[in-house]
Amino acid sequence: MPYKPQQRKLSTTTAKGSRKRDEDSGTDVGEGADDWAQAKTTIRPPDQLDLTDAELKEEITRILTANNPHAPQNIVRYSFKEGTYKLIGFVNQLAVHYSHVGNLIPKDSDEGRRQHYQDELATGSQESARLVYSDTENLEEEEETKEGETEPESQTDIHTAEASEKVIEEELMTPKQPKESKLTNQFNFSERASQTFNNPLRDRECQMEPPPRTNFSATANQWEIYDAYIEELEKQEKTKEKEKTKTPVAKKMGTMAMRKMTSMESQSDDITKVMQAAKIVERMVNQNTYDDVAQDFKYYEDAADEYRDQEGTLLPLWKFQTDKAKRLAVTALCWNPKYKDLFAVGHGSYDFMKQSRGMLLLYSMKNPSFPEYAFSSESGIMCLDMHMDHPYLVVVGHYDGNVAIYNLKKPHSQPVFRSSAKSGKHTDPVWQVKWQKDDMDNNLNFFSVSSDGRIVSWTLVKSELVHTDVIKLKVEGSTLEGPEGLQLHTVGCGTAFDFHREIDYMFLVGTEEGKIYKCSKSYSSQFLDTYDAHNMAVDAVSWNPYHSKVFISCSSDWTVKIWDHTVKTPMFIYDLNSAVGDVAWAPYSSTVFAAVSTNGKTHVFDLSINKYEAICNQPVVAKKKNKITHVRFNPVYPIIIVGDDRGHVTCLKLSPNLRKMPKEKKGQEVQKGPAVEIAKLDKLLNLVREVKPRN
């Protein structure tokens, strides 16, 4: 806006004006006053500019902006993506000069309706008071006319008005007290539970009146029976009234439906009554049938191991299968963390052209003939995991990209939680799921990895699944520039992952390209490290349960590799002459692991005994018919379970040579525990490092 700077000029007219006012008011002004008025001269500040008339008339443009002069312009924040502090370009220029908290309430809100209702009650009470006032007036006028009093009308009106005003004031001033509950006489009172009736006749045709009650000994159960009987009679009357209004065809349909419902209810009631007893009898029969297998599981030890120095065997025990999962491959295995005889099996298909239904089965070693729990799904189940603290919760990943949670406590076959397209389901098959620790709000959560390149964190909030993308896999060195400078990335297909036992944020991801990425939950666009692990897809990756630096991986390129995550090259490489489907560490030793291959063999290694080859290579299934897909160690017993692509699960017992413990030395106690296992594996890794230089 234009602004004209002007000099300050103090005129002497002020003195003249004041003198004139004094003269008008009739006061005499002396010479001293005149001298004082003349002493007022123009006062100029010492730093005032001497401007000419042209300069005074010059217009100077001044632009007003909304910028806050006190807002800081040098705020920096740390960028996790680039790893440096960066200057923030946008600064908040808002400055609040005045704020006032109002008390206006919307009419449609609950509080607004409540206040409106109270106002209506107040107006209603005033109207009722007016009615009382008019009624009293009428009554008093009638009394006056009847008694024939000679009092003037003006005086009676005054008296009645004063009396009615007093009544209204008393009604408005006195608060309304709630009605007092009537207290029972404690000396002449008997509860309903202590009353009974004299032999009522249960007539279904007519309504029965309650019989007289006496105060001698009785129980409350009799009255419960009576109430239930009355309710049943009321229901029958209602159904009779409905039947009267129905057509003959509708009556026939209704009777048929009622018969079916009653038959189903009676059957379910009968089944639930004998369910527990039937399970016990079934287990007893199975124990008698498989008595020799149970004896081998408990007591048999292969005596031939004494004559084999560094070799062991696997003894087949039970075989778990069911007709419900026929022609479905075993795609996942998991032991229950609480019940050591219970394990879960996921059924689906690895063949892209033969996708059909899926099954989730839970078997117990106490009953190998039939699964304890069975759940079916429309899409194949490719992976599963059981919660450590809540062993009844099972999370599964489907071939169609969905994830679901089953609750074993609830008998129905539908999952209690299930993802959807709206809730961010994967667009490709889910290859692995893992439960994680609860979040800050104590909500259950788990992670999933899929071929669409997304690693997703799922949180159970109230009655729905909330997803968060942790990281999106991108193939390094595959960035292409598209039109208008757009960068195109090749998506990495995740196949397996595993979280570190001690460092919560660290996890490994295997991909179809053969690479293994070391990732962090804190970084969504960068990898902590990259390993050129295999030439084909990584089928499994797993951290060592004892050593925090060691992990193992297997691939369809026929190899199993053991890594130190601080080193880019593998410590050990084993070629199994066939595609390796799965690998698992033993829970009792840091140097023992098992691997299964597509040629039907199970391989068990013990690095402390033999660093170069397996100490057990044993065919478990026929080579031509089926392939082994997964293997798991039992956390307590010396057994493993292996699954094949025909839906069969075989339980095998490890011979003594496959689970050797440290030998006792004279005068020394046998040392056991995690520290011993870590030292044992460290010794092997140091030997390898001495031979092979570190990158």
Side-chain angles (χ1 to χ4, degrees):
M1 60 183 289
Y3 171 74
K4 292 183 179 181
Q6 296 180 357
Q7 292 179 347
R8 293 177 62 186
K9 295 181 180 180
L10 297 174
S11 176
T12 59
T13 56
T14 57
K16 294 178 180 178
S18 64
R19 187 164 53 190
K20 188 177 181 181
R21 284 194 300 271
D22 292 338
E23 289 175 358
D24 294 339
S25 62
T27 58
D28 295 332
V29 181
E31 293 179 358
D34 193 10
D35 295 340
W36 173 83
Q38 290 179 359
K40 277 191 174 182
T41 58
T42 304
I43 299 173
R44 296 176 60 185
D47 57 346
Q48 182 175 347
L49 297 175
D50 293 330
L51 301 176
T52 62
D53 293 338
E55 289 176 343
L56 289 172
K57 292 178 181 179
E58 184 183 355
E59 292 185 356
I60 298 173
T61 304
R62 205 170 186 186
I63 301 171
L64 298 180
T65 62
N67 294 334
N68 184 6
H70 302 291
Q73 304 294 328
N74 56 351
I75 297 177
V76 295
R77 289 194 181 158
Y78 188 76
S79 172
F80 289 95
K81 184 176 181 181
E82 300 182 6
T84 58
Y85 285 94
K86 294 193 70 178
L87 187 68
I88 294 176
F90 175 75
V91 179
N92 188 11
Q93 304 291 340
L94 178 66
V96 179
H97 298 286
Y98 176 76
S99 64
H100 179 72
V101 180
N103 56 357
L104 296 178
I105 300 171
K107 289 183 177 179
D108 296 334
S109 63
D110 295 338
E111 185 63 25
R113 293 194 191 97
R114 195 177 298 111
Q115 291 186 8
H116 184 64
Y117 178 68
Q118 291 175 357
D119 294 340
E120 287 181 350
L121 289 178
T123 55
S125 63
Q126 290 177 3
E127 289 178 0
S128 63
R130 288 172 189 166
L131 292 172
V132 169
Y133 173 67
S134 62
D135 292 340
T136 52
E137 261 189 346
N138 296 330
L139 289 170
E140 287 178 358
E141 286 177 359
E142 289 176 359
E143 288 176 358
E144 286 172 359
T145 54
K146 286 180 181 179
E147 292 175 0
E149 293 179 357
T150 60
E151 194 177 25
E153 293 181 358
S154 59
Q155 292 180 0
T156 56
D157 292 340
I158 291 166
H159 288 303
T160 54
E162 289 177 356
S164 60
E165 285 179 358
K166 288 181 181 179
V167 171
I168 293 166
E169 286 180 359
E170 289 177 358
E171 288 182 354
L172 293 174
M173 293 299 291
T174 56
K176 293 182 179 179
Q177 296 180 354
K179 293 182 179 179
E180 296 182 358
S181 59
K182 188 177 179 181
L183 297 176
T184 56
N185 188 352
Q186 297 182 358
F187 299 97
N188 186 17
F189 173 72
S190 58
E191 290 186 355
R192 184 180 177 186
S194 64
Q195 299 174 0
T196 184
F197 49 88
N198 297 326
N199 299 323
L201 298 174
R202 298 190 176 183
D203 189 2
R204 292 183 178 270
E205 298 298 328
C206 61
Q207 176 67 35
M208 183 179 64
E209 295 294 332
R213 302 177 180 180
T214 57
N215 289 334
F216 50 85
S217 62
T219 59
N221 293 331
Q222 293 173 333
W223 281 109
E224 290 177 2
I225 295 170
Y226 173 77
D227 292 339
Y229 185 62
I230 295 298
E231 288 179 4
E232 184 66 24
L233 287 175
E234 290 177 357
K235 287 180 182 178
Q236 288 181 5
E237 287 185 355
K238 288 180 180 178
T239 52
K240 285 179 181 178
E241 290 176 359
K242 289 180 180 179
E243 286 178 358
K244 288 178 181 177
T245 58
K246 286 182 179 180
T247 59
V249 178
K251 286 182 180 179
K252 287 183 180 180
M253 294 294 290
T255 52
M256 292 293 290
M258 285 295 292
R259 286 175 186 174
K260 286 183 179 179
M261 287 292 292
T262 51
S263 63
M264 290 292 291
E265 287 177 359
S266 61
Q267 288 177 6
S268 62
D269 291 341
D270 295 340
I271 290 170
T272 52
K273 287 177 182 177
V274 300
M275 180 73 75
Q276 191 66 23
K279 279 189 175 182
I280 295 171
V281 172
E282 186 182 19
R283 289 189 178 182
M284 291 170 63
V285 172
N286 279 300
Q287 189 174 359
N288 292 331
T289 306
Y290 299 99
D291 181 60
D292 52 345
V293 179
Q295 295 294 331
D296 290 342
F297 162 71
K298 195 70 177 175
Y299 304 108
Y300 179 76
E301 301 291 353
D302 193 355
D305 275 16
E306 297 180 3
Y307 306 101
R308 303 189 192 101
D309 293 334
Q310 296 181 351
E311 291 183 2
T313 57
L314 298 171
L315 175 67
L317 296 176
W318 298 282
K319 194 170 187 178
F320 302 88
Q321 60 183 356
T322 179
D323 293 337
K324 293 181 180 180
K326 227 174 189 180
R327 297 179 182 176
L328 291 176
V330 174
T331 54
L333 292 172
C334 182
W335 287 97
N336 190 286
K338 184 177 181 180
Y339 302 100
K340 308 306 179 184
D341 63 310
L342 187 69
F343 62 92
V345 185
H347 289 276
S349 176
Y350 288 114
D351 193 346
F352 174 75
M353 302 300 294
K354 296 181 180 179
Q355 286 301 316
S356 60
R357 60 189 178 88
M359 290 288 294
L360 171 62
L361 304 177
L362 283 94
Y363 289 98
S364 172
M365 292 190 297
K366 298 175 183 177
N367 183 12
S369 61
F370 198 79
E372 296 289 316
Y373 301 92
F375 303 94
S376 60
S377 62
E378 295 178 357
S379 180
I381 293 175
M382 309 310 295
C383 54
L384 62 89
D385 192 27
M386 306 185 83
H387 201 282
M388 290 294 295
D389 300 327
H390 307 284
Y392 54 87
L393 292 179
V394 184
V395 59
V396 300
H398 292 284
Y399 193 87
D400 60 0
N402 279 314
V403 293
I405 297 174
Y406 290 90
N407 190 345
L408 303 183
K409 288 185 176 181
K410 296 185 178 179
H412 55 77
S413 60
Q414 296 299 322
V416 291
F417 294 95
R418 184 179 175 83
S419 64
S420 62
K422 291 182 180 179
S423 61
K425 81 176 191 72
H426 291 281
T427 55
D428 281 342
V430 181
W431 294 115
Q432 198 161 359
V433 289
K434 284 274 187 183
W435 285 105
Q436 288 296 293
K437 292 180 180 178
D438 297 351
D439 63 0
M440 301 295 289
D441 297 328
N442 293 325
N443 294 321
L444 300 176
N445 74 327
F446 63 93
F447 282 68
S448 63
V449 64
S450 170
S451 298
D452 61 1
R454 295 166 57 211
I455 296 171
V456 182
S457 171
W458 301 89
T459 306
L460 279 68
V461 180
K462 293 183 179 178
S463 60
E464 61 179 351
L465 282 174
V466 179
H467 81 286
T468 305
D469 287 352
V470 177
I471 195 169
K472 291 184 180 179
L473 301 176
K474 298 175 183 177
V475 179
E476 292 184 349
S478 62
T479 305
L480 301 174
E481 288 191 5
E484 300 179 359
L486 185 66
Q487 290 187 348
L488 303 175
H489 300 278
T490 303
V491 177
C493 301
T495 55
F497 70 159
D498 193 24
F499 288 85
H500 200 277
R501 266 68 171 175
E502 297 176 3
I503 307 173
D504 291 336
Y505 63 84
M506 187 188 298
F507 62 96
L508 299 168
V509 182
T511 62
E512 286 185 3
E513 295 80 28
K515 294 183 182 294
I516 296 176
Y517 299 111
K518 184 166 67 175
C519 306
S520 171
K521 296 178 184 178
S522 304
Y523 301 98
S524 60
S525 59
Q526 285 186 340
F527 305 127
L528 299 179
D529 212 340
T530 304
Y531 307 93
D532 293 326
H534 298 276
N535 298 320
M536 295 181 70
V538 178
D539 292 327
V541 61
S542 176
W543 289 98
N544 190 284
Y546 292 96
H547 205 292
S548 60
K549 292 184 178 180
V550 178
F551 69 90
I552 194 170
S553 65
C554 69
S555 169
S556 301
D557 64 357
W558 300 7
T559 59
V560 174
K561 297 183 180 181
I562 298 175
W563 305 76
D564 183 344
H565 78 87
T566 60
V567 182
K568 286 290 191 75
T569 56
M571 297 284 110
F572 299 95
I573 302 174
Y574 300 100
D575 192 339
L576 303 185
N577 297 323
S578 183
V580 185
D582 196 9
V583 68
W585 289 104
Y588 55 84
S589 175
S590 63
T591 58
V592 177
F593 65 91
V596 291
S597 53
T598 55
N599 59 1
K601 287 186 177 182
T602 301
H603 311 265
V604 182
F605 292 80
D606 191 345
L607 302 179
S608 63
I609 296 175
N610 193 334
K611 299 187 292 290
Y612 305 104
E613 59 184 11
I615 59 175
C616 176
N617 293 312
Q618 185 170 323
V620 177
V621 296
K623 181 180 178 181
K624 294 181 180 179
K625 290 184 178 180
N626 48 12
K627 304 171 184 178
I628 302 180
T629 55
H630 287 277
V631 61
R632 284 292 178 272
F633 280 87
N634 187 283
V636 176
Y637 304 115
I639 58 174
I640 61 172
I641 50 174
V642 295
D644 56 32
D645 60 353
R646 293 295 181 91
H648 302 159
V649 179
T650 307
C651 182
L652 305 160
K653 185 176 182 180
L654 302 169
S655 67
N657 278 355
L658 301 181
R659 43 190 169 91
K660 273 188 176 179
M661 302 303 292
K663 293 182 179 179
E664 295 184 7
K665 294 182 180 180
K666 292 182 179 179
Q668 294 182 1
E669 294 182 358
V670 178
Q671 295 181 351
K672 299 179 182 179
V676 177
E677 297 297 332
I678 293 170
K680 187 166 59 173
L681 192 53
D682 265 334
K683 186 178 179 181
L684 292 170
L685 295 176
N686 291 332
L687 290 173
V688 175
R689 290 191 188 101
E690 290 175 3
V691 177
K692 181 166 48 179
R694 180 173 176 174
N695 286 356

